[in-house]
Every structure is written in structure tokens, then in C-alpha cells.
Amino acid sequence: MSCRKLPVCLLAAVVIFFCGWFSTGMASAGEGTFNDIQGHWAERVILEMNAYDIVHGYPGGEFRPNNKVTMLEAVVMILNTLGWDEEAGQADLSGLQFHPSVTWGREYLALAVEKGMLTRAGLPQIDSQRLASRVEVAALVCLALGLTPDASQVTFFDTGDIPEKYRGYVGAVVKQGIIQGMPGNMFMPGEPVTRAQLCAILSRLIDRKLIPPPPPMELVVGRITSIDMIKEKVLLRNLEGEKTVLLPADITIFTASGTTGPEFLKTGDRLKCIVDVRNNVRYAALMDDASIANSVEGLVVSFSRDGSGYNLTLETNEGDYLTCPVEDDARLFRASRETDTYRPVENDYVQAGLDVNGRVVRIDIYPPERISGTVVEVGGASLTLRRQGEEEEYAVSPRVQVTRNYVRGMNFSELRRGDRVEAVVMKRTIFQVNLLSDVLTGQSGMVSRVHSKAIYLYVGDEEKRYELDEQVEVIRDGRLIDVRDLRRGDYVNFEVDGRGYVITIEVLDEDEGEFEGTVKYLDVYPTTWLTIALPGGLEMEYEVSGKVDVLRDGDRINLSDIIPGSQVAVRVEDGKVTEIEVLDDQNLTVKCLVSGVNPERRRITLEINDRYFTYFLAPGAAILDRNGKPVSLEDLEGYRVEVRLKDGEVDRITVL
């Protein structure tokens, strides 16, 4: 067995001994490699480091986990783990003095001096038998990684026993979770480090993404989406997408309580794998979902990936900027539903769940919600609104934007009790406020006629006359225009004040733009047409593009899954609908035909516009006839009814 990239001039006996540390690239990895680690506390990390081809055992299949490590071995091990073994082979030894007993590995010591891990003056004191203490390993790792010394993290009962010059190094590696204390909150600075302990320390460098795995090995963590036991293939999904790994049928998979085999894996399991260049799994472990120890929230500044993985930068509600590393298999939720298709983007409002190491393991994305209400109280960083007869308090972002009638800017402090407002809310935090005092909002219609002091609009099926305010603002394409530039047939949103005068008119470009409203009709065959009712009653009919994107909570759905009565946002381009986002299909009222009932399971199937949808009845759901008297569910089949959905369940049924 030859050692990877060790000097060819080494004595054969030395080569055999130190192959217990260094990989050959030929020996097999896995649970059968060593015969003296089963049940050892470091069994798993030893096998991980073996799978990375960083450590191997001694002749006879032993690993000798409790053997103590020399300073020379520790230096070599750290440099190899960081992938600097090739650099060591080219290190300049000129001008350096070594202890006479050091007959191999001098190039590693020379590289350690070059990297600032050791000093020239200290080299002669490192003999081949000198053991490495815990503080010395802490210093080597800290200096190799370029961490900032931080003595404030050193709070052990035996801190006084840690030499002053080492305390900052110890604090830095403790802060990163690389080295942990001993039982009883002791550090034991002078204790020699064992082979098992050094494996554990160096494996944390990879697990915590402080360094990448040594090429060509790769660490893959993801959730299982499919399993093919015949072809020994497992498909894993994480933020990078999907990756197929080859899992041998006889591999042992570690779990929190023991071990298992591939035949017991199931979709949804969280699997950690170390794979080679051909995606063959050399080590595998089932992982529990990470516990959330802390959470932060704010607006997304960036969600990006670098050499060490994903990072999430937030601007918190306090105006601070915070960057956190993200686990590759962090779970993403949008509007409380898990999603694989949506990633956080700039200005999304999110809550990030952090594990004990400060890594993001869950991201909840909160889509913007537009609400309206009457101001009850204005606080320094809060706003209380009365909505539907109830008072609700919201936090207010430091970045809040406040306008009057959508055009004129104003200060948040100018809002007063009794003001009528519309607000954009994300997770109960307000980011935009528009003052609409004495304004009837949500009006829409089609221009019929325009006079100097009045305008006639079709609202629903009725033509209505409205007086024009002298300062009426008419907006087309984001610019103010003269009211006389309005044309018959223009679709508009408008606002009316308490006197009944129109104060704002916004012209809608029916061929281009984004609209929110209620799906009234959806005809799928032979050509797909969508009729959407805007707030105020205006109906707009569009042909739906054959390449339309239909989304619900960030996930793609079929066009036929849209339920008439749903609240949607549509994007129109060149007169055709190119995108539909379902905002709410869980709370609506729809008229339809009952095509089937299942009283035992309390389910009902409804025919809506020649399509069928099945729902469960909510506990206590009311089922009433035309006279308001209760009827049985089984009596409804074949009747036309009005159905009210609440949170996705049938809350009320009324026979028409």
C-alpha cells in the first residue's frame, strides 16, 4: 500500500506506518475497512474521512482510533484535508532547520511555515515523537483557515490553564464549532489529541462548509425523491436541483440510532452521501430534520452561491444587514406550502430558521398581501387598522413607503386616526401605505362619455354618471394626462371621495399589464378563454396563450385546476394571458351542480363549468335548502347549489 503523494524516498516501514493516515485512492471505503472502531464514539467520522480518501487504516484492518497524534502527523493531516498536499511537494526547504529525528514530512512543515501555521524558530523543537496537544491543534487549524482569533469565546472552567497566546485561537475554533469542550465544560488544553479526535475535528471543516471536500470526492445532502433498488439508483433533491447517486445494495447506512440498509429508504428521507467522481456512494447516513434554534426575518437583499455554498443576506426590520450560510437542502416554503420551484429573490420578505450553528435550514417566503382598513392608531413602528369590524396591529418596516392617492408622497407620521388606507403587508409587516381618506376604493369600469365636469362609466351592466373633482388626476402608462384625453371604451380604475366626486382615474391597458380579480369563466375547449372580474365589477375577457404559465404558491399547476371564483393575478401581453397566479382558491363562493356525494367520508364532488372538483366538508358545515332549513348531504346529488369554501373545505351549501 503506497501513500498518496508522499516522497518516494521514504523508508518502506515508515510508508506502511503512515498509511494509517494518508489515502491511497485504491483501498475500499466503508464499514468493512476497519475492525477496531465498531461502537467507537468516532466510528462515523472515521468512516467519513476514509470515504474522502483522507485516512486509511494499518495493515491487518486496524485504525487504532485512540492512538495519540504527533505534531508532525497533525500538520500533515490538516494540510491534506485542506487539499494542500501538492503544494507541500513543491515547498522550499532552503534556510529551514529541522529536528534531526524528522526524516520525512519536512516539506509539510515547510509549507506550514509558509502558511503561517508554524514559525521558523519553532521548527527545530518539533521532533518526530512530540505529541500534539489540544491547544496546538486549535492553533494550527485557526491559522490554516485564516480565522480571526477571538478570546471572548473561551469560557471553560479551566480557561486559566490555556496559555495566553493560545486563547484567541481556541476561541476562534470553538466559535466555528470546529473543536468542542470536554465533559464538565473543560477544555483540557494540554491533553494530547487522538486519531479519532482529529478525524472529528477535520470532518467538521467539511460539514460546516469551511472547506470543500477534497477532489474528486463530493458531499451531497438532499431529500430522496425516487428510489430504484434494481438499478441501485437514488434521486436526491436540494437547492442545486436533482442528482442521481449510485447506492450499493450492501452498503450500511447510518442513522441517529444505529444503521439500516438501502431497502428501508423512502421518499422524503434526508440523506447525506459522500460520492466519488462516478457518483458511487462511499458513505451514507440518514439525517434528522435540523432543529431550529433561532430565526431571523427581513427583506431579501441577495440569495447567492459561492464556493462554500448558498448564502442569504437580509435587511432586518431594524435596518441591519445580516448574512447567513444556507444548508444545501434547506426547506423552502412559500405561503406556508413547501416549494421546489421558487427561490428567494430580492425584496421578498422571509423568515429564516437557523440551527445551532447559525446555518439556515428553513426559509419561509411571505408573498405580498394587499389589505385595506381604517387607521385606529399610528405608532412609531406600528399601525393599527380596523378591518371588517376588528382591530389588528401591524409592524411597520423602516423602509415603508407612504403615498396619497398612489401618486403624492407623504410621511408615515402624517397618517391620522380615521384615515382610510390600503397597505402592502408581508408577514404582518407593512411596507407600503396609500392614504385613501374619504375615498371609495376598488372601483372599475369602462368609459362611455366624458364632459368637462362629469364622466359616464359602465360599471357592471349599468351606465353611471360621476362628477369630476377639479383636481382630478388621470393616469395613463404612469403619467398624468388631461381628462379630455380619455377615449370611449377605455378600461379604468377610479376612486370616488365622500362627495361622490371622482378624484383619480387610472387607464388600464387591456392588451398589456397585470391585473388582479376573480375568475368568472374559464372555457378550455376548443380555445381557452378567461373572463376575470376586477374589483368594482368590470369584466375583462382574454384568450389564454397556449404557453401560459399557471402558478399556485410558486408551483406550476394545470390550467384546468383553476376554480371559477378564485382570486388570481394575470399577466397580459399582446392581448393574451401569458401567466396566471392563483392567489386564493381556498376561500370563495361558487354556484355549481352537485355531481356526487360521499356521506361516510363527508366529501362532495362539484361540477363547475364542465369540470369536476372534490372537497371535504368542514366540521359543522351548514347544508340548507331554499328556505334556509337543514338538509342531508346525500339529498344534494343532482341539485344546483351555492357553495362557500373556507380554508379549502366546504363551509356552507345552499340549494338554489
Side-chain angles (χ1 to χ4, degrees):
M1 182 182 295
S2 62
C3 297
R4 180 166 58 117
K5 299 188 179 76
L6 287 179
V8 296
C9 62
L10 296 182
L11 295 175
V14 175
V15 170
I16 292 174
F17 179 80
F18 284 106
C19 279
W21 274 125
F22 310 132
S23 68
T24 67
M26 297 182 292
S28 63
E31 68 283 0
T33 305
F34 311 119
N35 57 30
D36 60 346
I37 65 171
Q38 187 172 4
H40 192 279
W41 67 266
E43 178 182 6
R44 294 177 62 161
V45 293
I46 291 170
L47 292 178
E48 285 186 44
M49 297 298 282
N50 177 228
Y52 284 128
D53 256 355
I54 294 176
V55 301
H56 276 212
Y58 290 88
E62 294 181 340
F63 183 77
R64 303 177 190 175
N66 298 323
N67 279 12
K68 296 178 176 62
V69 177
T70 67
M71 275 288 288
L72 178 55
E73 291 170 338
V75 168
V76 174
M77 185 68 170
I78 292 169
L79 293 178
N80 275 349
T81 303
L82 269 63
W84 292 344
D85 45 345
E86 289 189 5
E87 284 190 59
Q90 303 171 3
D92 183 7
L93 277 63
S94 61
L96 298 177
Q97 295 183 349
F98 302 92
H99 191 279
S101 65
V102 177
T103 57
W104 75 276
R106 291 187 174 189
E107 65 275 21
Y108 283 90
L109 295 177
L111 182 61
V113 170
E114 182 181 325
K115 298 292 186 181
M117 299 164 59
L118 299 173
T119 64
R120 285 174 173 264
L123 282 185
Q125 281 74 50
I126 301 177
D127 64 64
S128 60
Q129 300 302 312
R130 176 182 165 185
L131 298 180
S133 68
R134 285 171 57 81
V135 290
E136 288 173 326
V137 169
L140 289 173
V141 172
C142 178
L143 292 168
L145 296 180
L147 302 178
T148 302
D150 185 0
S152 66
Q153 301 294 318
V154 185
T155 58
F156 301 101
F157 289 153
D158 58 350
T159 294
D161 296 336
I162 302 175
E164 187 71 32
K165 67 177 182 178
Y166 286 108
R167 289 183 187 175
Y169 303 140
V170 170
V173 295
V174 167
K175 182 178 180 180
Q176 293 288 340
I178 301 169
I179 297 182
Q180 301 169 351
M182 305 294 280
N185 193 32
M186 303 291 285
F187 189 77
M188 298 183 179
E191 283 291 306
V193 174
T194 66
R195 285 164 56 85
Q197 290 170 340
L198 192 52
C199 280
I201 290 169
L202 297 178
S203 72
R204 293 182 193 122
L205 300 183
I206 301 174
D207 278 350
R208 286 164 170 73
K209 302 294 182 67
L210 296 171
I211 62 171
M217 303 307 168
E218 182 182 359
L219 173 62
V220 181
V221 180
R223 294 190 181 276
I224 298 175
T225 58
S226 69
I227 305 171
D228 187 335
M229 295 301 299
I230 297 176
K231 296 182 179 180
E232 300 183 350
K233 291 182 177 181
V234 174
L235 185 63
L236 299 177
R237 170 173 285 280
N238 56 26
L239 295 177
E240 286 289 285
E242 291 185 333
K243 184 179 182 67
T244 298
V245 298
L246 305 178
L247 194 68
D250 59 348
I251 193 171
T252 295
I253 300 172
F254 287 89
T255 69
S257 58
T259 60
T260 188
E263 65 272 20
F264 296 105
L265 296 177
K266 59 184 184 298
T267 57
D269 282 344
R270 188 180 183 217
L271 192 65
K272 170 184 178 181
C273 298
I274 297 173
V275 300
D276 63 17
V277 69
R278 295 183 178 86
N279 291 324
N280 296 303
V281 176
R282 296 166 60 90
Y283 171 90
L286 278 174
M287 302 174 66
D288 293 333
D289 285 337
S291 298
I292 295 177
N294 188 23
S295 63
V296 294
E297 58 185 71
L299 287 173
V300 174
V301 176
S302 66
F303 182 73
S304 58
R305 182 174 177 83
D306 57 23
S308 62
Y310 284 92
N311 291 284
L312 175 67
T313 300
L314 299 179
E315 181 181 358
T316 67
N317 289 338
E318 292 74 32
D320 299 323
Y321 286 83
L322 179 68
T323 299
C324 300
V326 182
E327 287 290 355
D328 284 347
D329 67 333
R331 303 182 72 177
L332 301 180
F333 292 79
R334 190 169 188 266
S336 300
R337 293 186 180 181
E338 191 161 11
T339 176
D340 290 328
T341 60
Y342 190 90
R343 298 289 182 270
V345 297
E346 185 178 356
N347 289 326
D348 272 346
Y349 192 82
V350 304
Q351 177 175 304
L354 312 178
D355 64 12
V356 293
N357 298 312
R359 300 187 63 84
V360 177
V361 297
R362 172 172 173 143
I363 301 176
D364 285 274
I365 306 165
Y366 295 91
E369 176 188 6
R370 189 174 295 276
I371 65 171
S372 59
T374 302
V375 174
V376 176
E377 183 178 355
V378 181
S382 65
L383 184 64
T384 302
L385 301 178
R386 181 180 296 108
R387 303 180 62 227
Q388 299 177 348
E390 297 184 1
E391 294 184 4
E392 296 184 63
E393 182 178 355
Y394 298 88
V396 176
S397 168
R399 296 175 51 179
V400 66
Q401 296 179 343
V402 185
T403 58
R404 185 188 302 273
N405 297 331
Y406 298 102
V407 177
R408 293 187 291 270
M410 57 183 292
N411 294 323
F412 176 73
S413 59
E414 295 180 63
L415 294 174
R416 295 290 182 265
R417 180 181 179 89
D419 283 345
R420 181 72 176 171
V421 298
E422 278 192 347
V424 174
V425 179
M426 292 184 281
K427 196 180 182 290
R428 299 195 63 79
T429 299
I430 292 176
F431 290 86
Q432 295 179 23
V433 180
N434 185 53
L435 175 61
L436 298 169
S437 255
D438 297 322
V439 173
L440 299 177
T441 62
Q443 304 294 296
S444 59
M446 185 179 72
V447 175
S448 173
R449 291 173 288 165
V450 179
H451 295 291
S452 59
K453 295 185 178 180
I455 185 171
Y456 290 80
L457 300 169
Y458 284 107
V459 179
D461 297 327
E462 182 180 359
E463 185 184 52
K464 294 184 178 181
R465 182 181 189 276
Y466 295 92
E467 298 293 326
L468 292 172
D469 183 83
E470 292 183 359
Q471 302 297 321
V472 62
E473 295 178 340
V474 184
I475 304 167
R476 187 195 298 273
D477 298 330
R479 296 183 178 183
L480 291 175
I481 64 172
D482 192 277
V483 68
R484 292 171 297 182
D485 293 331
L486 289 172
R487 298 185 295 268
R488 179 181 175 83
D490 280 340
Y491 288 136
V492 297
N493 286 330
F494 62 99
E495 296 169 351
V496 181
D497 66 14
R499 303 169 300 158
Y501 282 66
V502 174
I503 59 174
T504 304
I505 300 173
E506 181 181 7
V507 181
L508 304 178
D509 183 352
E510 62 268 28
D511 290 329
E512 299 284 344
E514 298 181 0
F515 308 98
E516 290 186 10
T518 303
V519 175
K520 190 165 185 180
Y521 301 107
L522 178 61
D523 298 319
V524 179
Y525 300 106
T527 304
T528 304
W529 288 85
L530 172 71
T531 302
I532 180 173
L534 303 185
L538 177 64
E539 294 181 9
M540 303 174 74
E541 186 179 58
Y542 295 100
E543 183 179 353
V544 179
S545 169
K547 298 181 179 180
V548 64
D549 285 328
V550 187
L551 306 172
R552 182 199 289 124
D553 299 326
D555 296 324
R556 285 184 169 82
I557 63 173
N558 295 323
L559 188 65
S560 59
D561 292 335
I562 297 177
I563 307 166
S566 301
Q567 295 295 309
V568 298
V570 301
R571 176 178 296 161
V572 178
E573 299 176 15
D574 294 329
K576 290 187 178 182
V577 174
T578 59
E579 180 178 299
I580 305 173
E581 182 180 7
V582 178
L583 304 177
D584 186 5
D585 60 1
Q586 304 291 297
N587 301 278
L588 54 88
T589 300
V590 62
K591 294 179 180 179
C592 54
L593 180 71
V594 178
S595 66
V597 296
N598 187 331
E600 291 76 22
R601 300 194 64 184
R602 290 182 61 78
R603 292 196 311 185
I604 185 169
T605 300
L606 307 175
E607 181 182 348
I608 309 172
N609 287 166
D610 300 321
R611 288 176 289 128
Y612 298 89
F613 303 89
T614 299
Y615 298 97
F616 284 96
L617 269 67
I623 306 176
L624 307 174
D625 65 11
R626 295 182 182 88
N627 300 315
K629 295 182 179 180
V631 295
S632 299
L633 178 63
E634 51 264 39
D635 295 334
L636 293 179
E637 189 165 353
Y639 280 84
R640 284 195 60 79
V641 295
E642 183 180 86
V643 175
R644 184 175 71 189
L645 293 181
K646 184 177 181 181
D647 297 329
E649 293 183 325
V650 174
D651 177 61
R652 182 185 180 94
I653 304 174
T654 304
V655 177
L656 298 176

